[in-house]
Amino acid sequence: MPIKSEVQTTEIKNAVMQLPLLRDLVQAADLTARKSLGQNFLFDLNLTTKIARAAMPFGQTVIEIGPGPGGLTRALLLEGAEHIIAVEKDRRVIGFLGHLIEAASGRLSVKEADALKEPVWEFGDAPRQIIANLPYNIATTLLLQWLEHAEAFSAFILMFQKEVAMRITARPGDAAYGRLSIITQWRSTTERVFDIPPEAFIPPPKITSSVVRIIPRKTPLAPCAATDLEAVTAIAFGQRRKMLRASFKAYGGADFIAAAGIDPSSRPQDIPVEGFCALARYYHDHPKNARFKRQN
Ligand code: SAM
C-alpha cells in the first residue's frame, strides 16, 4: 500500500498538471518582466524539470530564491519536493502565485522578502538545498553569503550567467580561474551541469546561462581565515599576469612567497586553492612589512 506522502505527491502532481499553461496565466495577469529585478522567466517545463532533477534527491527543505511566476516551482512540486520555501521580492508575484500555493496543498510557502537580507540558512530543517534561477545582478553576492553558512546546506543548484559559472567552476590553469573559483571551492565542490541558451527565457537575456551544482564541504579544503584568503587572492589577482613575488613586493616579495611554501615565480592562475590557503596562513602570521622591516 502506498504511504501517505506518496498519495499526497500523486494528488499534488495531478493538481499542478491541471493548472492552466504558465505562459497563458502570465499573459492574463499582465505580469511583465522587470529588468530591475533581473526577471528572465522560464516557461518550458522540460527545462525546469531538468533543473529540478539536477537537484535530486531533494533534501528535507528546498529553498527557491525568486520563484517569479513559478515555472521552476511547478517542476519542483511535480518532481516530488515536499517542503518548498520560496523567497520573492516582487509583490506582484506573491499574489500571482496563489493558484500554485493552493495546488501545492501545504508543500509551498512564499515569503515576500529581499533574499539578500534573509537568513535562509535557518529556514526549515536540514538538509537544506537552494534551487534557483537567480537574479544575475545579485547572484554571486548571494552565493558568497550562503557559503559563509555552508554547513547549513546540503547542495545548491543555481543558475548563473555562463561567464560567472565558468569562474565558479574553473580549475588552476583555466583562463577563468580566479578569486571566485578559490573562495567558492575552498568551501565547496563545484560542477557546471548544463547550459541554457538565451532564447529559453522570456524575455531572452543577452548571454547564455549555466546551471551549477555546488556541494558544500563538511570542513573547508584547508585551514585559513576567510578574510585572509580574500586578502591574499585580492593581492594576487589584482595583477593576475604578474609573478607572485612582484604582486607581494610590499610584503617581502620572493622571500614572503617562498616562506609560504610556494614558488615565487609562479603566477596566481597556477596556484591551487590549498596553495592560497598556505599563503593566507602565512599572511595572517606576518602582517604587512613587519617581518621584513625587522630584517632590514
Ligand atoms: N524562478 C523564475 C523562473 O525561473 O522563471 C524567475 C527567475 S528570475 C531570473 C529572478 C527572480 O528573482 C524574479 O522573480 C525576481 O523578482 C526575483 N528577485 C530579484 N531580486 C530579488 C531579491 N533581492 N530577493 C528575492 N527575489 C528577488
Side-chain angles (χ1 to χ4, degrees), residues 227-243:
T227 47
D228 295 324
L229 189 60
E230 281 162 18
V232 293
T233 51
I235 298 165
F237 285 96
Q239 307 183 80
R240 74 179 284 134
R241 283 181 216 293
K242 285 201 173 170
M243 292 181 192

Side-chain angles (χ1 to χ4, degrees), residues 4-16:
K4 194 173 158 233
S5 80
E6 283 173 11
V7 175
Q8 218 194 355
T9 299
T10 309
E11 284 167 5
I12 290 166
K13 281 184 186 176
N14 289 338
V16 173

Side-chain angles (χ1 to χ4, degrees), residues 50-293:
K50 198 171 166 188
I51 300 171
R53 288 188 181 161
M56 290 171 76
F58 295 125
Q60 175 67 27
T61 306
V62 168
I63 300 165
E64 188 189 358
I65 304 301
L72 178 56
T73 327
R74 282 188 183 201
L76 293 171
L77 287 165
L78 287 169
E79 294 305 311
E82 294 189 5
H83 184 204
I84 307 173
I85 304 175
V87 179
E88 173 58 62
K89 194 173 174 185
D90 186 349
R91 176 163 296 176
R92 300 175 307 157
V93 163
I94 312 290
F96 176 87
L97 283 174
H99 68 283
L100 193 55
I101 295 171
E102 199 175 318
S105 302
R107 290 190 173 190
L108 168 65
S109 58
V110 183
K111 181 170 187 188
E112 182 185 345
D114 180 346
L116 286 166
K117 297 184 184 148
E118 287 300 302
V120 290
W121 45 92
E122 292 171 2
F123 281 14
D125 296 318
R128 298 177 190 84
Q129 284 165 312
I130 301 189
I131 307 171
N133 169 13
L134 292 174
Y136 289 147
N137 50 344
I138 55 170
T140 49
T141 308
L142 284 171
L143 175 63
L144 293 174
Q145 197 180 84
W146 298 334
L147 282 175
E148 285 178 22
H149 304 271
E151 68 293 341
F153 301 101
S154 59
F156 303 94
I157 307 296
L158 303 173
M159 181 131 54
F160 296 93
Q161 303 175 49
K162 183 176 177 184
E163 175 267 329
V164 175
M166 300 281 281
R167 290 200 276 134
I168 290 171
T169 57
R171 308 291 180 238
D174 292 349
Y177 185 66
R179 293 191 74 204
L180 188 58
S181 332
I182 293 157
I183 291 166
T184 309
Q185 292 173 36
W186 179 52
R187 292 190 198 264
S188 63
T189 61
T190 64
E191 175 197 2
R192 198 169 111 239
V193 198
F194 54 88
D195 294 341
I196 302 189
E199 55 275 15
F201 299 85
I202 309 285
K206 289 198 177 71
I207 35 80
T208 297
S209 303
S210 304
V211 173
V212 180
R213 184 186 290 119
I214 300 170
I215 308 288
R217 299 179 191 278
K218 293 215 172 353
T219 51
L221 189 55
C224 70
T227 47
D228 295 324
L229 189 60
E230 281 162 18
V232 293
T233 51
I235 298 165
F237 285 96
Q239 307 183 80
R240 74 179 284 134
R241 283 181 216 293
K242 285 201 173 170
M243 292 181 192
L244 289 175
R245 66 171 184 232
S247 307
F248 282 82
K249 201 169 170 202
Y251 297 82
D255 288 349
F256 184 92
I257 302 298
I262 295 167
D263 175 0
S265 328
S266 48
R267 293 174 209 275
Q269 66 268 27
D270 298 321
I271 305 293
V273 178
E274 295 91 330
F276 277 105
C277 292
L279 201 52
R281 290 194 299 274
Y282 192 77
Y283 172 90
H284 183 89
D285 294 338
H286 300 84
K288 195 173 170 181
N289 285 342
R291 175 171 176 262
F292 300 96
K293 270 189 184 145

